[in-house]
Structure formats: C-alpha cells, structure tokens
Amino acid sequence: MAASVALRLDLPMTLASSATFADGVREHQDEVYGVALRITGDRDAALDVASSTFLKAYRAFHRYDRTRPLRHWLLRIATNEAISYVRKRGRELRRSVEVDQATAVADSNATPDAESVAREDRARIRAAVRQLPDLYRVVIVLRYFNELSVDEIAHVTGRPASTVGVQLLRGRALLRGALESER
Amino acid sequence: MRNDRREDDLFDEVRLRRALRLEAAELPPRMDLATIAAQAEAHRPASVFAALLSTAVAGAAAAALAGLVLVALPTIAPAVASEAFDAAIQTLARAAVPASAILAAAQQPGIPLAATFALAVAVAYEYTQRRERARAVSS
C-alpha cells in the first residue's frame, strides 16, 4: 500500500521545474495555510481549507498548466476555497473569531508592555482585515501576507491588474478608516 | 503634503505586513501527503460510481420516455391528426371569404389597379428623394 501511494505521488510531476506534487505541498503548505487563516480568521477553518486545497490540487494536478508557477495555482485554489468556506459558514465563523480574539487579548496581559502593545496592534489589524469585504480582503492578504505583486495577484485572482491596483488602494483606505474609528 | 501621505502609506504597508505575518505559534501541523493521496483515492471510486449510476439512471429514463412515446403515438395520432385537419380547413374557409371579395374587385375593369399601384410607387419614390435632399442640405 505504501509503495503504491509513493508511486502515485510521483506520477503528477511538473515538466518545467521537475517538482513533484510532494515538493509543492512541502514548499507551499505554510503559505497556503497562512492565506486561508488570514482570509477565514479561524485556525480550524484554515486547516480544513488547506487540506481541501491540496486534495483538489492532487486530483487536478494533471490539468495544471505547467508553464505557470505552481505557487500561484495553489494560491488561486486556496483563496477560492477560503472565500467559499467563509460564505458557507458566515455567521458561525464570525462568532468563533470573536472568541479567538478575546482569548488573544486576554493572553497578552501576561507579556511586557511594548510587546503587549504590538500584539494588540497586530490583533486589531487582523480583525480589521477580517471585516473587509471579500473583494478587498483577498487582494490585501495576497499583497501583504504572500508578498505578491499586483500582476501576480491579477493572475491568481483572474482580475485585471488595474482593478487589483484600485482594490488594493480601496482596501487600504477601508482598513485605515476602520483602525482610526477604533481610536 | 504628498510626502506625508506617502509616508503614511509606507507605514501602513509595514504595519500590515507585520500584522499578517504568521507567528511561530500559528504554524500549522505538517500536511501528511499520504493522507491527501489516500483521501483522493478514497473519494474517487465513490464519485466514479455516482457518475456511472447517474448515467445509467438517465439512460433508463430516456429509454422509458422513448418507449412511452412509441406506445402512445398510434393511439393518440389519429385524433390529433383529425383535429389538426379540421382546424386547417376552418382557417382556410375563414380566409377565403375576404380573399374572394378582393379578387372579385380586382377583376372589375372599372378599378385601374395597375394605375393605383404605379401611383403609390411614384409617391414613395418622390418621398424618399425629398428626404435624401433634405438630409444633404442639413448636413
């Protein structure tokens, strides 16, 4: 059984980079999980999204365009999965995020002041990102978590680069507004 | 002013990057490749079976529908055909009444049909010519 699994894992191999599916999982799993976490805001959801992403990628690996980066393909699946997860779970997910946030703030009391302030700042920004509409949240996460360029985001999301540029500006403005209104 | 805004933007970007970065405590457990493969394989037969089953059911339904049509057609066809024939005859009879009147009028030598038609064509031609001239003058 183990031998047959290993054989099957070697089957979907990219011609351009000669990277196997296994290499893709190893190399990009943190990033896929991270993008799912930043979009859903929930660890369990992010794990579900990451595993369904790799499951879908495994099944569709023979259809993957090998001239394009594997990373972008995986991120495209992951963002789509995360967004549909968020839409499906909607209210239920938002409630669990609030609980997560509350525990995060409570934990920060034990740390020194500067660190606690920084942690609180990060928590506030993450919460503000989670409140963004899907349209802006995806581009903000791909830009500032995955460090993709505007063209790369356009490729991952299938939106025109000019639209992505505008959505980044608008997303940042919405974030700034949300953070300032908290003060 | 513009410099202040750019600095604000840069500051925002740095803050965003820092805030969204994965912390050590957030790192996920390693994905088990064998589990992914096993899950993919485990789900595949079910989906193939479901696809086969749905194809078979659709085929059986189509065959049943075709059989039903074949059985019912000889029974229904005569009634349907006679009703359609009746309707066609009635329509033809209704249309024949005004058509015969028009034909009778056309046969009267007192009505110069050809001259009336020629007049209508001449009026239409003159009208289009005038419209074109008016358009050329206005442009």
Side-chain angles (χ1 to χ4, degrees):
Chain A
M1 179 63 190
S4 72
V5 167
L7 254 177
R8 279 183 195 134
L9 288 177
D10 285 340
L11 269 176
M13 185 179 291
T14 57
L15 297 175
S17 61
S18 80
T20 60
F21 180 77
D23 290 337
V25 174
R26 231 172 280 125
E27 201 176 323
H28 301 295
Q29 64 174 296
D30 285 352
E31 208 176 1
V32 164
Y33 170 81
V35 80
L37 179 64
R38 294 295 173 241
I39 290 174
T40 61
D42 181 275
R43 288 181 191 186
D44 293 336
L47 271 178
D48 281 355
V49 167
S51 62
S52 69
T53 298
F54 286 117
L55 196 65
K56 282 197 171 172
Y58 180 85
R59 283 189 190 140
F61 205 70
H62 61 284
R63 278 184 274 137
Y64 151 63
D65 180 358
R66 287 160 175 93
T67 58
R68 300 192 166 192
L70 177 65
R71 180 188 179 215
H72 292 178
W73 185 62
L74 289 173
L75 287 177
R76 178 193 277 252
I77 302 174
T79 49
N80 289 340
E81 285 290 296
I83 289 298
S84 53
Y85 193 100
V86 169
R87 284 182 188 156
K88 218 186 287 174
R89 288 288 167 96
R91 288 177 188 170
E92 192 188 323
L93 197 63
R94 236 168 273 147
R95 239 176 277 135
S96 73
V97 166
E98 278 158 17
V99 171
D100 256 18
Q101 238 172 285
T103 53
V105 172
D107 286 345
S108 69
N109 289 341
T111 57
D113 271 353
E115 199 184 319
S116 136
V117 169
R119 187 175 290 188
E120 236 171 81
D121 189 48
R122 285 199 297 269
R124 280 193 319 121
I125 293 173
R126 286 175 193 171
V129 169
R130 281 196 293 268
Q131 299 303 317
L132 283 177
D134 299 345
L135 203 65
Y136 304 114
R137 197 184 334 155
V138 168
V139 291
I140 288 284
V141 169
L142 289 173
R143 179 80 186 99
Y144 297 108
F145 171 72
N146 299 96
E147 302 279 350
L148 297 187
S149 69
V150 170
D151 286 337
E152 287 173 323
I153 297 171
H155 177 233
V156 168
T157 56
R159 300 171 194 168
S162 54
T163 307
V164 170
V166 171
Q167 285 171 348
L168 272 173
L169 278 175
R170 179 95 184 105
R172 260 199 335 249
L174 284 172
L175 274 178
R176 199 178 299 141
L179 291 169
E180 276 168 10
S181 70
E182 277 179 23
R183 282 177 192 166
Chain B
M1 180 73 179
R2 191 176 282 179
N3 277 347
D4 286 352
R5 200 168 169 190
R6 193 174 293 167
E7 275 172 22
D8 272 359
D9 280 352
L10 287 174
F11 175 65
D12 276 350
E13 292 195 324
V14 172
R15 263 178 88 192
L16 266 171
R17 279 199 179 91
R18 257 188 226 144
L20 294 180
R21 207 175 285 159
L22 275 185
E23 289 166 41
E26 286 180 313
L27 284 174
R30 299 291 89 188
M31 292 271 169
D32 184 10
L33 218 56
T35 311
I36 295 171
Q39 273 181 336
E41 295 304 319
H43 285 90
R44 195 167 288 165
S47 63
V48 168
F49 178 71
L52 275 174
L53 190 71
S54 70
T55 310
V57 169
L65 195 67
L68 195 70
V69 168
L70 281 177
V71 170
L73 201 61
T75 326
I76 300 170
V80 171
S82 75
E83 271 177 27
F85 187 69
D86 277 358
I89 291 292
Q90 276 176 15
T91 312
L92 204 65
R94 268 185 217 138
V97 177
S100 67
I102 291 166
L103 283 174
Q107 280 172 347
Q108 296 286 326
I111 301 173
L113 263 184
T116 310
F117 183 71
L119 185 68
V121 169
V123 167
Y125 178 75
E126 186 57 27
Y127 179 69
T128 51
Q129 288 294 314
R130 282 189 186 186
R131 272 188 70 181
E132 270 176 25
R133 251 178 268 138
R135 200 179 297 153
V137 168
S138 66
S139 64

